Coordinates of all heavy atoms in Angstrom, one line a residue:
G36 N 82.1 76.4 88.6 CA 82.2 77.4 87.5 C 82.8 76.6 86.3 O 83.0 75.4 86.3
S42 N 87.7 70.9 85.2 CA 88.7 70.1 85.9 C 88.1 68.8 86.3 O 88.8 67.7 86.2 CB 89.2 70.9 87.2 OG 89.8 72.1 86.9
L56 N 82.0 70.4 94.9 CA 81.2 71.1 95.9 C 80.9 72.5 95.4 O 81.8 73.2 95.1 CB 82.0 71.2 97.2 CG 82.5 69.9 97.9 CD1 83.3 70.2 99.2 CD2 81.4 68.9 98.1
A81 N 88.9 68.3 73.3 CA 89.6 67.1 73.8 C 88.8 66.5 74.9 O 89.0 65.3 75.2 CB 91.0 67.5 74.4
L84 N 83.6 67.4 73.8 CA 82.5 68.3 73.7 C 82.5 69.2 72.5 O 81.7 70.1 72.3 CB 82.4 69.3 75.0 CG 82.3 68.5 76.3 CD1 82.4 69.5 77.5 CD2 81.1 67.7 76.4
V93 N 78.3 80.6 68.4 CA 78.3 81.3 67.1 C 79.7 81.4 66.7 O 80.5 81.8 67.5 CB 77.7 82.7 67.3 CG1 77.8 83.5 66.0 CG2 76.2 82.6 67.7
R105 N 82.7 108.3 65.6 CA 82.8 108.4 64.2 C 82.2 107.2 63.5 O 82.5 106.1 63.9 CB 84.3 108.5 63.8 CG 84.7 109.9 63.2 CD 86.1 110.0 63.0 NE 86.8 110.7 64.1 CZ 88.0 110.2 64.6 NH1 88.6 109.2 64.1 NH2 88.5 110.9 65.6
D130 N 74.8 78.5 78.6 CA 74.8 77.3 77.7 C 76.1 76.5 77.9 O 76.1 75.3 77.9 CB 74.6 77.8 76.3 CG 73.3 78.4 76.0 OD1 72.3 78.1 76.8 OD2 73.1 79.1 75.0
E137 N 76.3 69.0 82.4 CA 75.6 67.7 81.9 C 76.7 66.7 81.7 O 76.5 65.5 82.0 CB 74.9 68.0 80.6 CG 73.7 67.2 80.4 CD 73.1 67.5 79.0 OE1 72.6 68.7 79.0 OE2 73.2 66.7 78.1
L163 N 88.8 70.2 104.4 CA 87.9 71.3 104.1 C 87.0 71.5 105.3 O 86.2 70.6 105.7 CB 87.0 70.9 102.9 CG 87.8 70.8 101.6 CD1 86.9 70.3 100.5 CD2 88.5 72.1 101.2
H164 N 87.0 72.7 105.9 CA 86.1 73.1 107.0 C 84.9 73.7 106.3 O 85.1 74.8 105.7 CB 86.8 74.0 107.9 CG 88.1 73.4 108.5 ND1 88.1 72.8 109.7 CD2 89.3 73.3 108.1 CE1 89.3 72.3 110.0 NE2 90.1 72.7 109.0
G181 N 87.1 80.6 92.3 CA 87.0 82.0 91.8 C 87.8 83.0 92.6 O 88.7 82.8 93.3
G192 N 98.0 83.2 101.6 CA 97.6 84.2 102.6 C 96.4 84.9 102.2 O 96.0 84.9 101.0
M222 N 85.5 102.2 70.9 CA 86.5 102.7 71.8 C 86.2 104.2 72.1 O 86.2 105.0 71.1 CB 87.9 102.6 71.2 CG 88.2 101.1 70.9 SD 89.8 101.0 70.0 CE 89.5 101.7 68.4
L287 N 76.1 95.0 87.0 CA 77.3 95.9 87.1 C 78.3 95.2 88.0 O 78.0 94.8 89.1 CB 76.9 97.2 87.7 CG 78.0 98.2 87.9 CD1 78.7 98.6 86.7 CD2 77.5 99.5 88.7
P340 N 104.7 60.5 88.9 CA 104.7 59.4 89.8 C 104.0 59.6 91.1 O 103.9 58.7 91.9 CB 106.2 59.1 90.0 CG 106.9 60.4 89.6 CD 106.0 61.1 88.7
R353 N 102.1 76.2 83.8 CA 101.0 77.2 83.7 C 101.3 78.6 84.2 O 100.8 79.6 83.7 CB 99.8 76.8 84.5 CG 99.1 75.5 84.1 CD 98.6 75.6 82.7 NE 97.6 76.7 82.6 CZ 97.4 77.3 81.4 NH1 98.0 77.0 80.3 NH2 96.4 78.3 81.4
A357 N 100.1 82.2 82.4 CA 99.1 83.0 83.1 C 99.6 84.5 83.2 O 98.9 85.4 82.9 CB 98.7 82.5 84.4
R398 N 97.5 87.7 63.3 CA 98.4 86.6 63.8 C 99.3 87.1 65.0 O 100.1 86.3 65.5 CB 99.3 86.1 62.7 CG 98.6 85.6 61.4 CD 97.7 84.4 61.7 NE 98.5 83.3 62.0 CZ 98.9 82.3 61.2 NH1 98.6 82.4 59.9 NH2 99.6 81.3 61.6

Side-chain angles (χ1 to χ4, degrees):
S42 298
L56 305 180
L84 301 176
V93 172
R105 249 176 264 134
D130 293 342
E137 208 183 293
L163 295 175
H164 300 266
M222 304 174 288
L287 175 63
R353 296 299 300 153
R398 307 294 297 266

